[in-house]
Amino acid sequence: MTKLPLTIATTDYDHFRDIRTGAVAAEGIDINWFLLGHHECFARMTANREFDMSEMSFAKFSAQVTRKDSDLIGLPVICSRLFRFSSFYVNKNSGIKRIEDLYGKTVGSPEWAHSAAVWMRGWMQNDVGMDMTKIKWVQAGANAPGREEKVELNLPNGIEIARIKDRSLSQMLASGELDCAIIARPPTCFLENHPDIVRLFPNFLELEEEQYAETGVWPIMHIIAMKKSVHDAHPWVARNMFNAFEESKRRSLERLLDPAVSRYPLAWLSSYGRKMQDVFGKDPFPFGVEPNRKTWEMMGLYTFQQGIAHHQFEPEEIFPASVTTKVVI
């Protein structure tokens, strides 16, 4: 039988390595894989739908999948997931010592629909109880000027965003124009040890461990988006791709947890991986709907509250039913 040719674009992840190289096959599919930076994947898939499947920011995907007659559907395959208390960078001259000190301050992010910022604004609003209208919001490129919002927004009443095209968040943070940046990639001024730029939460690891213990939510940043036309024409593709991604990840974890050889050039990595199994379970990086239900649902709430998703979605809406079909032997 002739295999179905499909294109996919992602950045380089070890947990995708074996499916990308062909060591793991997606049954019935001939994959043409493009290795690109994740921002290029987002931009090209969002603007032009250049690929059959692509890595996509979960926040940006939320905006597009909840459109009326959306042309996208998701696979519950996680490219990247990270806790984000480390993502608050402040100019210490602003006098910000705790999260509530952001009231009345100027706070920037690379885009409003920036998954790292969405997660932390959601925490601020729902867990801390902060009023997001009492913060002055700015959007600009992280370390270079000119970045633009990639999806349409329906901002909540009282939220206004100043779009800055000629300066970066890093430049404005260093100069004091910006009091705080919520940003996934550390700003250049922080990496270059600017004396005024510090993390708001230097104890971010402890905070993130506490949050996971309390909520069971393991924040998801990027997932795989697929053209709905592919799924409509070939409804078997989603499950076959999901199965292959699962096997590729299983092999990646096997390498990472192998104590016999140095699969990766870092000390104690396999020991750390086993500690992560104590926290997250046997599979410390689960794919699928049910193992991540709380996380999918929380992003559905946050993106709707923040004017990114057009309505509050449930996982069953954004993922095809075939990926949850049970096969019991």
Side-chain angles (χ1 to χ4, degrees), residues 5-73:
L6 293 177
T7 56
I8 187 170
T10 73
T11 195
D12 189 9
Y13 294 103
D14 188 80
H15 43 290
F16 293 174
R17 188 185 86 178
D18 285 15
I19 181 174
R20 178 174 58 81
T21 63
V24 169
E27 189 67 25
I29 301 169
D30 182 16
I31 304 174
N32 186 10
W33 204 297
F34 296 85
L35 274 185
L36 304 171
H38 60 272
H39 288 296
E40 185 170 356
C41 295
F42 302 167
R44 292 172 64 176
M45 188 65 169
T46 298
N48 303 314
R49 299 289 192 262
E50 292 185 31
F51 316 105
D52 295 309
M53 294 171 282
S54 177
E55 177 175 2
M56 186 172 286
S57 152
F58 193 10
K60 294 173 181 60
F61 173 77
S62 299
Q64 296 170 80
V65 77
T66 54
R67 291 171 181 162
K68 185 178 180 181
D69 300 322
S70 173
D71 62 344
L72 287 181
I73 198 163

Side-chain angles (χ1 to χ4, degrees), residues 14-15 17-18 24 246-264 269-271 273-274 277 282-285:
D14 188 80
H15 43 290
R17 188 185 86 178
D18 285 15
V24 169
E246 278 276 33
E247 175 60 17
S248 183
K249 182 196 62 177
R250 186 196 67 76
R251 295 183 182 205
S252 175
L253 287 170
E254 186 176 71
R255 291 191 293 271
L256 190 151
L257 296 169
D258 186 353
V261 293
S262 299
R263 301 271 189 163
Y264 303 95
L269 191 59
S270 62
S271 297
R274 288 192 292 276
Q277 286 183 308
K282 184 178 180 181
D283 181 355
F285 204 91

